Amino acid sequence: MRLEIGNFYVRNIIFGEKLSFESGILTINKGEALTYIRADERITEAELYIAKPGDPIRICPVKEAIEPRVRPDGRGVFPGYTGDLERAGNGTVHALKNCSVLVVGRHWGGFQDGLIDMSGEGQKYTYFGQLNNIVLVADTNEVFEQREQQKKNDALRRAGHKLAEYIAQCVKELKPEETEVYDLDALIRRGEDVEKLPSVVYVMQPQSQMEELGYNDLVYGWDMNRMVPTVMHPNEILDGALVSGSFMPVSSKWSTYDFQNCPNIKALYREHGKTINFLGVIMSNLNVALEQKERAALFVAQIANTLGADGAVVAEEGYGNPDADFVGCIVALEDAGVKTVGISNECTGRDGQSQPLVTLDEKCDAIVSCGNVSELIELPPMEIVLGELEALGRDGLSGGWAADEKLGPSVREDGSIIMENNSMFCGDQVCGWSPKTMKEF
């Protein structure tokens, strides 16, 4: 399966008369784009903004991030979700790099929403502070979930994905600045020089804990709570087969942008044929009941053995309850003779003294930490706020609060904030972006 991603590097974004891309400048006709978004009758308010690195902008509550892409052959970018159900991972797609569409609530946030700073101390906490962002700030008529802690955010998330496809139309027929090629031979058709290398599989555990449809990550439009672990080609993940859901504390989330650009997959690709034989991806899930967790771990270990894996890398989206899936999967792989490395964040409390994972096992002896979700972050006021900062405290974002006996409210009268890392949008960057390192004291 061969995937070619044609890259167009966005150096600036402006609003103008015509949707276009020229010499690194992305021009968007705001009026036409908003008209396109408002075609969904559920959208009651919508506005577009531009947020670039260094701008004095704070964005909250952020719900989703998507890289603008288009397929020259006319197929949908997210099969089974925004387009017809077709196979992803093969062919050509054009992508606007250094750029994302951010979906932001105009009035209402929730447990799964977060914050992005485009400058200052807070910029470093999330990858999206480094990108040129088209920010869709909108509200919907989905009043039934406005005051709910967990929201499906269906209209807003779909609006973001459709907007990303709409914007990328401007590069559909252009020649890319560069082309990334991802080409992985079938498992039984690899040469001796590759097969003699250690065989490694990447195990992904996207968020799928909610039994009610509409919250979980989607694979080809299918709710991942309704599946058991299976094999996927890595190109499928890079090519729109997975869409982020609307569940889980937001620092732990994988946005759709993260799936489209998954650094862990790209790193394994780079080593394929050099130091490892990259077998592909075991797509697992995260469950609630113990039996479901054990079944998933059993499937993962069996698939790894069937593929002939010598080693595995396991990454979980989330923490807390999902830690049981994460640790159980690592233990099952180790018991099956597969040497395994885990990638996860930790929840060690504001003082750093609590148990890092809900459950532990001595066989989990190689885990990469992406930081503490409970780390306290204090930030000064920001000149511009896109969205509604009060959602950080009022609406129960995972790392914010209305009042605390010692710390007071998350959002102070002067616009400064105090919060846990929990509320940084995709801040733990478990999929491979994380720049964090360990220090000994």
Side-chain angles (χ1 to χ4, degrees):
M1 189 180 291
R2 180 184 175 90
L3 173 66
E4 297 184 3
I5 304 178
N7 294 328
F8 299 80
Y9 286 89
V10 176
R11 295 165 179 82
N12 195 13
I13 306 174
I14 61 174
F15 291 127
E17 293 184 2
K18 183 180 179 181
L19 176 64
S20 64
F21 180 82
E22 186 176 357
S23 302
I25 300 175
L26 173 62
T27 303
I28 301 171
N29 183 309
K30 181 194 285 190
E32 291 180 357
L34 287 172
T35 297
Y36 179 78
I37 291 165
R38 289 170 178 153
D40 185 337
E41 295 180 353
R42 296 176 297 173
I43 303 293
T44 57
E45 297 181 47
E47 185 56 86
L48 287 179
Y49 302 90
I50 297 167
K52 296 175 286 187
D55 287 346
I57 293 176
R58 177 165 290 155
I59 311 171
C60 180
V62 185
K63 300 175 180 293
E64 170 67 302
I66 311 103
E67 182 173 80
R69 291 186 177 186
V70 65
R71 298 188 196 278
D73 63 7
R75 290 180 296 141
V77 174
F78 304 103
Y81 184 65
T82 60
D84 293 337
L85 183 58
E86 300 179 75
R87 185 179 182 184
N90 207 37
T92 301
V93 63
H94 287 177
L96 289 168
K97 309 304 290 186
N98 296 334
C99 169
S100 83
V101 170
L102 297 179
V103 181
V104 182
R106 173 64 184 90
H107 297 296
W108 302 98
F111 197 62
Q112 64 287 321
D113 300 332
L115 179 142
I116 296 172
D117 273 2
M118 297 305 300
S119 61
E121 174 67 14
Q123 183 185 17
K124 68 182 182 183
Y125 286 98
T126 171
Y127 185 78
F128 299 94
Q130 308 170 39
L131 300 181
N132 296 298
N133 297 302
I134 304 115
V135 185
L136 169 62
V137 181
D139 196 16
T140 77
N141 63 5
E142 296 163 318
V143 295
F144 61 92
E145 66 177 16
Q146 282 181 351
R147 298 183 184 276
E148 294 294 323
Q149 187 185 59
Q150 294 288 354
K151 299 175 176 61
K152 296 181 181 180
N153 289 316
D154 184 68
L156 292 179
R157 289 191 295 120
R158 287 183 183 272
H161 287 83
K162 291 179 179 178
L163 178 61
E165 289 183 326
Y166 170 85
I167 290 172
Q169 291 290 327
C170 64
V171 297
K172 182 177 181 179
E173 299 179 2
L174 300 184
K175 182 179 179 181
E177 295 178 46
E178 68 171 20
T179 300
E180 298 176 55
V181 177
Y182 297 96
D183 193 0
L184 201 61
D185 291 335
L187 290 174
I188 60 172
R189 296 177 183 171
R190 297 179 180 178
E192 292 183 7
D193 57 333
V194 174
E195 290 187 352
K196 71 182 181 181
L197 298 170
S199 296
V200 178
V201 68
Y202 183 45
V203 182
M204 299 184 73
Q205 294 181 312
Q207 190 50 240
S208 54
Q209 284 181 275
M210 295 293 277
E211 294 181 347
E212 182 180 340
L213 298 178
Y215 295 99
N216 298 312
D217 294 349
L218 303 175
V219 56
Y220 286 104
W222 184 260
D223 193 295
M224 295 194 67
N225 184 264
R226 302 299 197 266
M227 63 173 280
V228 294
T230 188
V231 178
M232 291 189 69
H233 196 287
N235 289 8
E236 294 177 279
I237 289 89
L238 298 176
D239 193 32
L242 268 73
V243 169
S244 177
S246 187
F247 178 68
M248 203 60 217
V250 74
S251 72
S252 307
K253 280 176 63 63
W254 294 336
S255 68
T256 298
Y257 186 101
D258 292 319
F259 288 128
Q260 292 172 297
N261 293 279
C262 184
N264 290 336
I265 289 178
K266 291 186 176 184
L268 290 166
Y269 246 120
R270 285 194 297 272
E271 293 303 311
H272 178 64
K274 299 175 183 177
T275 61
I276 64 169
N277 176 13
F278 180 29
L279 299 176
V281 176
I282 299 177
M283 187 59 62
S284 188
N285 51 5
L286 297 167
N287 305 281
V288 177
L290 180 59
E291 181 182 346
Q292 296 169 352
K293 297 174 186 294
E294 292 173 341
R295 182 182 296 109
L298 181 152
F299 262 90
V300 170
Q302 175 270 119
I303 293 171
N305 279 157
T306 302
L307 295 178
D310 299 306
V313 178
V314 179
E316 68 167 327
E317 180 186 6
Y319 67 93
N321 188 298
D323 291 344
D325 302 77
F326 177 66
V327 171
C329 183
I330 293 175
V331 170
L333 285 164
E334 289 282 348
D335 286 343
V338 181
K339 296 180 179 180
T340 305
V341 174
I343 307 175
S344 175
N345 52 21
E346 304 175 52
C347 185
T348 57
R350 293 176 184 176
D351 60 2
Q353 300 298 309
S354 298
Q355 180 171 309
L357 301 174
V358 167
T359 181
L360 293 168
D361 191 284
E362 61 183 10
K363 293 173 184 175
C364 299
D365 57 2
I367 293 182
V368 178
S369 171
C370 297
N372 177 18
V373 300
S374 301
E375 177 187 356
L376 278 176
I377 298 171
E378 193 166 0
L379 299 172
M382 191 67 76
E383 183 179 329
I384 300 170
V385 174
L386 300 182
E388 192 170 56
L389 186 57
E390 289 75 11
L392 180 63
R394 182 195 67 212
D395 293 344
L397 273 65
S398 48
W401 54 85
D404 183 276
E405 290 184 2
K406 295 182 179 180
L407 302 174
S410 277
V411 182
R412 297 162 177 158
E413 291 185 3
D414 66 352
S416 63
I417 58 175
I418 184 169
M419 54 180 256
E420 292 180 351
N421 177 60
N422 254 318
S423 274
M424 280 294 174
F425 182 75
C426 300
D428 295 315
Q429 306 178 69
V430 176
C431 65
W433 302 110
S434 181
K436 297 174 185 175
T437 57
M438 301 295 291
K439 293 183 179 180
E440 292 189 14
F441 294 91

